[in-house]
Amino acid sequence: MKPENPFLAGLALIAGLLFLSPVLYSVWISFQTADAYYAGELGFTLDNYGRAVGQYNFARYLLNSLIVSGLVTLFGITFATMAAFAFARYSFRGGNLLFGATVATLMIPSHISLIPNYLSLAKVGLLDTYAGLILPAISNGFAAFFLRQYIRGIPKALDEAAYMDGAKPLQVLWRIIVPLSRPAIASMALYIFMTEWNSYIWPLVAVGDQDLYTLQIGLARLYRINPGEGLVDWPLVMAASTITILPVLCGFLLVERHLVRGITMGAVK
Amino acid sequence: MLRKLTPYLFVAPLMISIALFTYIPILASLNLSVREWNFLSPDMPFVGLRNYEQLLSSRELWNSLWVTTLFAVLSVPLRLALALLIASYLVRESVHSRLLRGALFLPSVTSTVSIAVVFSWVFSTDYGMVNAILGTLGLGKVQWLQDPYLALWVLIFVNTWKQMGYDIVIYIAGLQAIPRELYDAASVDGGRRFHVFRRITMPLVMPTTYFLLVISVIEAFQVFTIVNVMTRGGPAGATDMLVNLLYEIGFVLFDIGRGSALAVMLFVLLVALAILKSRIIGRKVHYEA
């Protein structure tokens, strides 16, 4: 890296803050009392967070989001890794066709399955359950495709040595492939988690029971069903919005490099 | 025997969930699109292509198609041009470029609903940030989200603000793949900056541009969250994009047949776009490393 020009660095910092100012300002509003906010005065309070969590159930929504995104990630990455291993290491009858069907899902817009998934989950009584939120989101063709490419780059001699020592396929996958693909698996797990965390249209249609709302649905409802009479209670809404942004933001700051590497690996080979 | 089964066992969980929640639903949509059903009535009679005819002769569909196309045509070039300019500035490694990259990338991983809510406030008439700034400049209040012309531009702005960071990161990776010697040679020849950008950078990041162009167009045709939160398709249908219309028909009116017909039409449109993209990329891009 070149030595830093402090003037440029300062300018960059200001530009970045300006760019993010709407979000930063919304966090600021979330600490204002409603009266002070509408009167244009200052009045610090934590009350909005108290109300969002207590009165408006956001602790529950946070828990729901964690459960749903966590399980979708766990199952999604497991299924994708297993399939990627088979596609990378075995040639089997129908293998190319199945791989083609997996890759083709990248071109298929998800809204086509919205109504049918709603109807079939309604039929088996899984609307308004965690399972109903989770199941349609588990298959991830992109992760399977991406991991298959990555696994193909791992020397096959390593597998063969393990098979010589009497290892079973599952052991080879778990002891050799998975540890060696850790960065790729981590990137994809992160990608699945974030996609699911922010997912909106499916939870919107699949869940009517308030106790199963994810953060996204809870926040959209809170904003749309104005709690203040006619006026939106902006400090309350911004507290809820901050609760929704925060977990992913912290995660992002921890793993920025992984994530950026992951998405660029996917786009530019 | 078991050895032969092994790969099938490994792919089974993924293939079953893809079949159940992606491929069978496509067939189900086709089937539902030629029936009339409101989710409650006991039977769903076959009505042929009536749902399609109704849609194609309705004002909503053409309005929606027009609005969505407008959104895509206006927002995608804007995003890509801005992203390429910023990326070519930020491509050099330094602390301040890393800082800015982080700030610009952040919105693309942040909750879309939160961003839609925050910008609903930014553009709200009475207490919003933009009108407050206009106020201090002595200008009057603008009804951003209530004005049929401005509302679409607000959505384009919000979408650009959110997604541009992703484009920038991809462009930076593309720019870093361009061999330095080319720039060195150009500077020996005394090439001016704009000239170098035009003659070397632009053609060499073409593969990246095509990639981003296609995914952003496909994405633009599926925009829903910001519409649903910020405008509900209004005012007067000015931001009623295709997926929003699908949601309204399918899950507000519960007209399953017409909703499915719309889903099938949108599906055909998007798959055609995706296929077109692979054709174009196959033919026109020579610079792939």
Side-chain angles (χ1 to χ4, degrees):
Chain A
M1 275 187 214
K2 282 189 291 187
E4 205 61 23
N5 177 339
F7 176 70
L8 270 183
L11 215 60
L13 193 67
I14 292 171
L17 288 177
L18 262 181
F19 180 77
L20 294 177
S21 62
V23 174
L24 298 173
Y25 203 89
S26 78
V27 175
W28 164 256
I29 292 176
S30 74
F31 290 109
Q32 301 274 306
T33 63
D35 292 344
Y37 173 70
Y38 287 109
E41 295 159 1
L42 291 182
F44 178 84
T45 178
L46 287 173
D47 179 53
N48 300 314
Y49 287 89
R51 280 193 300 150
V53 168
Q55 203 176 332
Y56 292 99
N57 224 2
F58 269 72
R60 180 64 195 255
Y61 303 161
L62 177 66
L63 181 73
N64 290 340
S65 276
L66 284 171
I67 291 174
V68 171
S69 303
L71 287 176
V72 165
T73 307
L74 186 70
F75 284 113
I77 200 70
T78 308
F79 289 7
T81 310
M82 284 166 59
F85 174 62
F87 287 136
R89 287 301 201 240
Y90 290 87
S91 58
F92 52 104
R93 187 188 288 269
N96 283 335
L97 182 73
L98 292 179
F99 183 63
T102 306
V103 176
T105 60
L106 300 182
M107 288 204 298
I108 298 174
S110 59
H111 72 264
I112 185 81
S113 43
L114 209 57
I115 291 174
N117 282 347
Y118 179 84
L119 297 178
S120 58
L121 289 172
K123 197 174 278 174
V124 294
L126 284 179
L127 288 182
D128 273 324
T129 65
Y130 283 126
L133 282 172
I134 293 164
L135 287 173
I138 282 178
S139 66
N140 196 306
F142 177 66
F145 167 71
F146 183 86
L147 290 171
R148 180 246 192 194
Q149 305 300 93
Y150 194 90
I151 292 172
R152 271 157 67 102
I154 299 172
K156 228 176 167 175
L158 294 170
D159 303 28
E160 277 152 13
Y163 283 123
M164 296 282 259
D165 292 342
K168 296 275 182 303
L170 203 58
Q171 289 170 317
V172 172
L173 172 61
W174 186 243
R175 297 261 165 79
I176 294 175
I177 301 295
V178 168
L180 287 173
S181 325
R182 271 241 299 273
I185 291 178
S187 298
M188 282 303 110
L190 206 63
Y191 161 76
I192 297 175
F193 188 89
M194 291 197 161
T195 309
E196 186 54 30
W197 184 271
N198 295 332
S199 129
Y200 182 63
I201 192 165
W202 177 246
L204 184 67
V205 302
V207 160
D209 177 1
Q210 289 219 10
D211 281 340
L212 284 168
Y213 280 2
T214 59
L215 280 173
Q216 315 302 328
I217 307 302
L219 178 59
R221 287 282 156 101
L222 179 67
Y223 166 61
R224 273 290 166 186
I225 304 166
N226 306 337
E229 290 163 25
L231 279 177
V232 182
D233 186 345
W234 284 116
L236 171 70
V237 171
M238 292 316 185
S241 162
T242 306
I243 295 175
T244 307
I245 293 178
L246 218 56
V248 170
L249 192 67
C250 296
F252 171 74
L253 293 177
L254 283 174
V255 292
E256 191 217 343
R257 273 161 195 274
H258 278 290
L259 189 72
V260 170
R261 176 147 30 89
I263 61 168
T264 47
M265 272 198 289
V268 184
K269 41 175 192 171
Chain B
M1 184 59 209
L2 190 69
R3 284 186 63 86
K4 276 206 147 161
L5 265 178
T6 310
Y8 295 101
L9 293 178
F10 276 117
V11 298
L14 182 73
M15 296 328 293
I16 290 171
S17 48
I18 287 181
L20 279 181
F21 296 108
T22 303
Y23 283 109
I24 294 175
I26 296 176
L27 300 176
S29 285
L30 279 170
N31 177 35
L32 290 165
S33 74
V34 291
R35 291 176 185 281
E36 184 184 306
W37 198 39
N38 65 3
F39 193 56
L40 294 174
S41 63
D43 43 28
M44 35 168 121
F46 178 82
V47 295
L49 294 178
R50 209 182 67 197
N51 291 321
Y52 291 93
E53 284 165 8
Q54 271 183 5
L55 274 172
L56 287 170
S57 60
S58 75
R59 231 186 53 82
E60 286 104 350
L61 178 81
W62 293 104
N63 171 60
S64 198
L65 206 56
W66 164 245
V67 170
T68 314
T69 309
L70 206 58
F71 179 82
V73 168
L74 294 174
S75 72
V76 172
L78 181 76
R79 253 175 73 178
L80 295 194
L82 269 174
L84 180 56
L85 277 178
I86 297 174
S88 47
Y89 173 70
L90 291 181
V91 66
R92 272 156 286 180
E93 287 292 338
S94 68
V95 177
H96 80 262
S97 108
R98 277 200 56 87
L99 219 68
L100 253 183
R101 275 187 228 172
L104 292 165
F105 184 66
L106 213 53
S108 70
V109 292
T110 307
S111 144
T112 312
V113 176
S114 288
I115 286 174
V117 167
V118 167
F119 277 95
S120 297
W121 164 74
V122 168
F123 287 103
S124 80
T125 310
D126 287 325
Y127 296 93
M129 189 165 154
V130 174
N131 279 351
I133 294 170
L134 290 180
T136 58
L137 296 175
L139 298 168
K141 283 177 178 170
V142 178
Q143 297 210 318
W144 296 99
L145 288 167
Q146 286 76 38
D147 182 308
Y149 294 100
L150 293 176
L152 190 68
W153 281 104
V154 171
L155 294 189
I156 290 170
F157 175 84
V158 175
N159 189 253
T160 306
W161 185 86
K162 178 166 163 51
Q163 296 298 337
M164 197 178 59
Y166 172 82
D167 305 341
I168 291 174
V169 167
I170 303 289
Y171 262 133
I172 287 177
L175 289 170
Q176 281 170 342
I178 298 176
R180 279 231 60 89
E181 298 84 54
L182 287 173
Y183 288 109
D184 296 341
S187 71
V188 168
D189 291 347
R192 275 168 307 152
R193 275 183 87 167
F194 176 72
H195 208 69
V196 172
F197 182 77
R198 177 87 187 70
R199 297 282 164 191
I200 297 180
T201 311
M202 292 249 291
L204 285 177
V205 290
M206 233 7 162
T208 312
T209 303
Y210 273 121
F211 170 80
L212 287 174
L213 186 70
V214 172
I215 61 164
S216 352
V217 169
I218 291 178
E219 192 189 274
F221 271 88
Q222 299 188 72
V223 162
F224 173 71
T225 307
I226 55 172
V227 179
N228 181 261
V229 176
M230 295 183 73
T231 65
R232 288 275 154 106
T239 58
D240 190 10
M241 287 187 245
L242 285 164
V243 177
N244 190 60
L245 183 64
L246 169 61
Y247 173 77
E248 299 279 337
I249 294 177
F251 293 97
V252 179
L253 303 176
F254 274 108
D255 188 338
I256 301 295
R258 216 148 52 93
S260 299
L262 178 55
V264 169
M265 282 157 59
L266 184 51
F267 171 79
V268 170
L269 183 75
L270 289 173
V271 170
L273 269 176
I275 291 173
L276 188 72
K277 147 226 173 182
S278 45
R279 286 278 168 78
I280 292 176
I281 288 186
R283 189 148 18 97
K284 283 208 180 145
V285 179
H286 337 274
Y287 298 107
E288 196 103 34

